Amino acid sequence: MEFMEECFRWYGPDDPVPLAHIRQAGATGIVSALHRIYDGSAWPEAAIADHKAGIEAAGLSWSVVESIPVHASIKIGTPLRDRYIGWYKDTLRALARQGIATICYNFMPVVDWTRTELKHPMPNGALALRFDAVDFAAYDLCVLRRPGAEANYTPDRLAEAEARFASLTPEAMERIERNLIAGLPATEVRYDRAGFQRALSEYDGISADDLHENLAYFLRQIVPVADELGLRLCIHPDDPAFSLFGLPRIVSTAADVRRILAAQDVQANGLTFCTGSYGTRADNDLVAMIHEFGPRIHFAHLRNVTREPDGSFHEADHLGGSSDMPAVILALLAEQARRRDAGRADWRIPLRPDHGHLLADDIGKDRVNPGYSLIGRLRGLAELRGVMHGIAVAQAAG
Ligand code: DNO
């Protein structure tokens, strides 16, 4: 049995985790982007080549681009979008010339991945990322005072949010605000409150169907280019996989995925299968999704969440939480085997341990990218690798 490709995300030369340590964690592939050029303009080929050379000098290879950012004009559908789509194509061509073929992106309006809490204590002393649904509502309703926000919550939640707001210190609320709008790693834009309100208002009147149409427009332009260049585009799901701040989100469910894959029905239009994001919804059956969408899964983010009864969730151990991670890995390995048998050259699926707890010596370091500390991800990768080995032994034994 062949294993999946073990990758680690690296934010570039500014990442506090150096490539040498990633290599010690046992990864062979790097997932990275030119984070210094994150405004939607084209990535110069020389800069791509430089980034790649740095990765290769450390004995690793640049396996996946995560992400090429999709400019807001494309999501909103303004006339400016054609210019940004043109630059997107230029970046795709430059990456293809450099031999980098797997390209992750997302289509989340305004906010990328979203958490309210970055250091949630676990019983064993580890610190986890968490999304508290009541803190979130308290911020949206009582601090941001988003017009019309009341309509997005149940009467019970409105009451809980008010009570929560009354009980939180101003410092605690400031921390929540910073986590929500001032940017987790890889976020394209960091906002202050006024800027955030402006960014939200740009989506006034844009429904989920409109957003889907704007994605379809984007795909009509870029998928044929990717296809011709032999690239694999893979859209990342919404994290979490439900609407926030009244914004439409269109990559949250199996029905969403069906619609996106059908919009351009070719291999180049594929998925990043993020178990942590899809796993925030109990109605997403991860293994069934792998069975249904397997041939179009070009990249896997493996991470587990524990869903809490009130709609909150926290990031669990990679093998803990609400999703059955070994079953997910078994399904992905079966998909790889199926592709190999079918003679597909791109049969191997790159994975990365997505996020990790803050553990041991990483606790207390001044500079840690939330979710992207070394030791937590090293533990995650080791556990995922262990599952693959266990499956191999079990299969060999019949
Ligand atoms: C969070 C990440 C996301 C992801 C983008 C992909 O840790 O998984 O920021 O990189 O959404 O475009």
Side-chain angles (χ1 to χ4, degrees):
M1 192 195 76
E2 297 283 355
F3 296 160
M4 297 168 73
E5 186 190 5
E6 295 176 22
C7 300
F8 230 66
R9 191 174 201 172
W10 181 63
Y11 283 105
D14 300 333
D15 194 323
V17 178
L19 289 167
H21 291 181
I22 293 178
R23 192 153 179 219
Q24 288 172 22
T28 53
I30 289 294
V31 174
S32 197
L34 300 191
H35 286 281
R36 288 177 185 156
I37 314 177
Y38 236 47
D39 59 357
S41 58
W43 291 353
E45 189 174 346
I48 295 171
D50 235 40
H51 199 72
K52 183 174 179 235
I55 291 169
E56 288 173 358
L60 296 159
S61 66
W62 187 0
S63 301
V64 178
V65 174
E66 178 173 351
S67 300
I68 312 178
V70 177
H71 190 260
S73 64
I74 300 173
K75 296 177 198 160
I76 300 167
T78 71
L80 213 61
R81 68 178 154 178
D82 291 321
R83 180 193 299 169
Y84 282 97
I85 291 174
W87 285 335
Y88 212 96
K89 290 180 190 167
D90 291 342
T91 299
L92 291 179
R93 291 191 188 100
L95 286 166
R97 283 194 296 272
Q98 291 296 316
I100 303 162
T102 305
I103 319 289
C104 169
Y105 68 101
N106 75 76
F107 216 76
M108 288 177 256
V110 188
V111 281
D112 189 318
W113 64 299
T114 303
R115 302 289 183 273
T116 56
E117 202 181 339
L118 307 182
K119 293 188 176 173
H120 177 66
M122 303 297 288
N124 67 356
L127 302 175
L129 304 176
R130 181 165 180 272
F131 179 88
D132 186 301
V134 181
D135 282 352
F136 178 85
Y139 174 74
D140 192 19
L141 292 157
C142 307
V143 179
L144 193 62
R145 298 172 172 280
R146 181 169 59 83
E150 291 76 12
N152 297 124
Y153 299 99
T154 62
D156 282 355
R157 184 49 48 90
L158 293 174
E160 286 165 343
E162 282 208 14
R164 179 66 58 86
F165 178 63
S167 76
L168 284 171
T169 62
E171 294 74 38
M173 203 22 119
E174 260 167 46
R175 198 162 47 242
I176 292 169
E177 174 166 63
R178 215 175 318 123
N179 295 340
L180 288 173
I181 73 171
L184 295 176
T187 302
E188 289 151 37
V189 188
R190 294 167 200 282
Y191 299 100
D192 59 16
R193 198 180 301 164
F196 189 67
Q197 280 157 334
R198 263 196 310 281
L200 289 178
S201 69
E202 289 182 15
Y203 286 84
D204 280 351
I206 298 200
S207 66
D209 270 339
D210 297 332
L211 189 64
H212 184 84
E213 275 316 307
N214 295 340
L215 172 60
Y217 180 98
F218 176 62
L219 293 176
R220 272 199 297 282
Q221 311 261 338
I222 62 157
V223 171
V225 174
D227 195 28
E228 196 188 308
L229 296 168
L231 304 180
R232 294 175 287 280
L233 297 167
C234 38
I235 193 165
H236 187 282
D238 306 321
D239 180 7
F242 45 79
S243 169
L244 300 174
F245 299 113
L247 293 164
R249 289 196 147 195
I250 56 165
V251 198
S252 294
T253 64
D256 292 340
V257 172
R258 263 174 227 127
R259 187 168 175 190
I260 292 165
L261 295 184
Q264 291 288 308
D265 201 8
V266 292
Q267 206 58 252
N269 179 28
L271 305 178
T272 297
F273 196 72
C274 177
T275 53
S277 303
Y278 286 121
T280 56
R281 297 178 73 102
D283 58 351
N284 280 336
D285 178 339
L286 300 182
V287 170
M289 289 171 84
I290 296 169
H291 289 149
E292 180 174 354
F293 306 123
R296 305 278 279 275
I297 294 175
H298 299 317
F299 180 31
H301 284 182
L302 299 183
R303 163 167 79 76
N304 223 319
V305 294
T306 298
R307 295 185 295 268
E308 302 171 22
D310 69 354
S312 306
F313 63 87
H314 62 268
E315 301 201 5
D317 289 335
H318 285 75
L319 303 187
S322 302
S323 306
D324 183 347
M325 187 61 76
V328 163
I329 294 175
L330 186 64
L332 289 169
L333 289 171
E335 169 56 22
Q336 283 200 155
R338 198 197 54 72
R339 292 179 189 188
R340 275 189 92 198
D341 292 347
R344 249 175 83 169
D346 65 343
W347 57 267
R348 196 190 292 278
I349 303 173
L351 72 80
R352 68 175 179 86
D354 192 17
H355 307 171
H357 289 160
L358 207 48
L359 298 176
D361 286 351
D362 278 344
I363 299 177
K365 277 189 185 162
D366 303 339
R367 251 172 38 88
V368 176
N369 279 327
Y372 290 92
S373 54
L374 173 67
I375 301 171
R377 287 184 296 158
L378 182 155
R379 174 180 169 181
L381 182 60
E383 292 183 351
L384 299 169
R385 181 189 301 131
V387 171
M388 291 196 283
H389 282 257
I391 290 172
V393 169
Q395 287 187 344

